[in-house]
Amino acid sequence: MERVEDIELCRIADAKVKEKVMFLLIRHRVPYAERWDEVPLLKRGKYHGAKEVCVVLTHPEHRKEAIEIIQGMDKEIQSQIILPEDEK
């Protein structure tokens, strides 16, 4: 369940990649929430043609730890995860 203080961690269009990220967050006890947003037609190229994207949210205090978990994943999986602009 999304809370007011939660911030965006990343966006993922591939359901299998999303499951891997969620598994690792749970394993490391990092709290998260998710929501699904529709992707406008002109922005679908950024998300590999996906019509909707999973927005993963977390508490600000856990953001750094969650980013480190994502950065420790396989490069192929990382390429499917879109971090906010300040993390690129």
Side-chain angles (χ1 to χ4, degrees), residues 24-57:
L24 285 175
L25 292 176
I26 290 169
R27 188 172 180 197
H28 287 79
R29 296 186 175 153
V30 175
Y32 73 90
E34 65 180 83
R35 76 167 187 258
W36 287 88
D37 290 350
E38 287 187 32
V39 178
L41 184 62
L42 297 175
K43 293 187 179 185
R44 289 185 184 166
K46 181 178 180 179
Y47 300 105
H48 310 286
K51 293 180 181 179
E52 58 182 4
V53 64
C54 178
V55 180
V56 181
L57 308 153

